[in-house]
Amino acid sequence: MESKETSNASQDVAALALFVIDNSPAMMAYWNANLICQFSNDAYADWFGKSRAEMKGIAMRDALGEIFTMNRKEIQGALAGEKQVFERAVRVADGSLRHSLMTYTPRFKSGKVHGFFVHVADVTPLKLAEVELKSAYAELKATQILLSDAVRENERVRIARDLHDVLGHHLTALNLHLDLALRQALEQDQHAASSKSLAISRDLAQNLLNQVRTVVAMERSNHVSDVRQALQSLCSAIPEPVVTLEFASNVELQCPVMAHTIFSCVQEAITNCIRHARAKKLHIHLARQQDGIVLLMMDDGKGISKEEQGHGLAGMHERVAELGGRMHISSQTDEGFHIHIWLPQKEGQP
């Protein structure tokens, strides 16, 4: 027969175990083979708004709602005796979205599964860090595209300078000598065959010099990095939210400053969407309208008030204003966040 001391000790251990379990931020529960809750810790009140007393005896379908349908495959796997470890985004009682790591561990008795233990850990900070890391990597790849284009542009300018300084100089000198030789030949004999050959040589040299000057002028003209490719690389590598980019065919960005401003604004919008919006989708549209370039960025997140707008959006305003553009923001709670940017671009503007 169990002594009083042993009984008290067992009660103390049980109380301590319950205290530890209840003070864990992770949800812990045991569901029997009929998917009826036998035990849960206090974390369920934080996640689903249900106390331990409300959870006991409740059916899993009623407790989890839509999550039950989402987890049906893992539930069946646990009841079949296979441990399940998986990730799931869970909408909790306060309406926020938590990224969770779920573990279903079957409980065997006499070789049969009598139920399974549930452990659900909140990994939202880790998930957000992972998304931001992937976003930073995407930004790095996109920036590398812009930098590689800049390197190629510098090389083109160097070659153009060399053409102008070396080949252009010698061609100019050659033209002067051919002109002199042609005049001397004509003075000596207007019908000499050499005069005709010199004239042809002079014309060829002049044409070659004009072509060199044309190439130099083209290579020294403003050349924009492939901002379309950079934006595509940036958007396609973002794991969450889903970013779609619509780059109209009539957009021609020949101004390096404008191209950099557009890239920076898109970059900032993606960062804000990841960190604050809790959005599932972000749509980016770039098109030319009359005398300007229009950039629209729209997400389906929670939206923010004017008071919540931070330094990133202020920086976007400043970049746009420096180019003589306009930026408008519209946002309402649970109706997403929209940014409308217009940048002036006249016909023929580089």
Side-chain angles (χ1 to χ4, degrees), residues 89-126:
V90 177
R91 188 73 64 180
V92 296
D94 64 2
S96 63
L97 193 67
R98 295 185 186 178
H99 296 276
S100 60
L101 179 64
M102 300 187 176
T103 304
Y104 292 172
T105 305
R107 174 175 176 256
F108 292 92
K109 188 174 181 181
S110 301
K112 295 182 178 180
V113 176
H114 280 245
F116 57 92
F117 296 97
V118 171
H119 182 278
V120 181
D122 182 4
V123 294
T124 302
L126 293 176

Side-chain angles (χ1 to χ4, degrees), residues 196-207:
K196 185 177 181 180
S197 297
L198 285 171
I200 294 174
S201 299
R202 191 272 314 271
D203 291 342
L204 289 173
Q206 185 61 49
N207 288 337

Side-chain angles (χ1 to χ4, degrees), residues 301-320:
K302 65 184 185 67
I304 62 173
S305 65
K306 186 175 181 180
E307 292 73 20
E308 293 177 295
Q309 297 177 19
H311 297 295
L313 290 174
M316 291 172 64
H317 271 291
E318 292 171 1
R319 290 179 185 274
V320 171

